[in-house]
Amino acid sequence: ALGTINLFPNPTTGAFTLERTELAGDIEVTVIGLQGQLLRATEWTAGQSKLNIDLSDLAAGVYMVRLTAKEGTRTLRVAVQR
């Protein structure tokens, strides 16, 4: 499930899209602040190539997007700029 995963646009003004080529398997997507606080949690279900996430209500800054699937975890960074 954690094949090629793209995150765009980055930096963003709030909303961004995750896109994957490997559609098998569910991925748990969490957005984490730099102090480690959990800000978002959602399920990216198998078969969906894109997932939209909106961070418009959060302050500008850098956030971690953690992708957790059966085979492991990957962490991406997204910058929110205003």
Side-chain angles (χ1 to χ4, degrees):
L2 293 177
T4 301
I5 296 180
N6 295 312
L7 187 160
F8 59 91
N10 192 10
T12 177
T13 56
F16 65 90
T17 300
L18 292 167
E19 186 175 44
R20 62 176 167 168
T21 53
E22 174 58 60
L23 300 183
D26 293 343
I27 300 175
E28 181 190 5
V29 180
T30 53
V31 177
I32 300 158
L34 288 180
Q35 281 75 45
Q37 68 276 39
L38 178 63
L39 303 169
R40 292 283 189 287
T42 188
E43 191 78 16
W44 193 0
T45 52
Q48 282 187 302
S49 62
K50 292 184 178 180
L51 179 70
N52 296 310
I53 296 179
D54 189 356
L55 304 181
S56 296
D57 59 318
L58 299 179
V62 176
Y63 297 91
M64 265 118 22
V65 180
R66 185 169 295 153
L67 308 167
T68 305
K70 278 201 302 270
E71 69 267 32
T73 299
R74 178 177 303 164
T75 302
L76 307 173
R77 287 176 181 262
V78 61
V80 175
Q81 295 181 349
R82 297 272 158 38

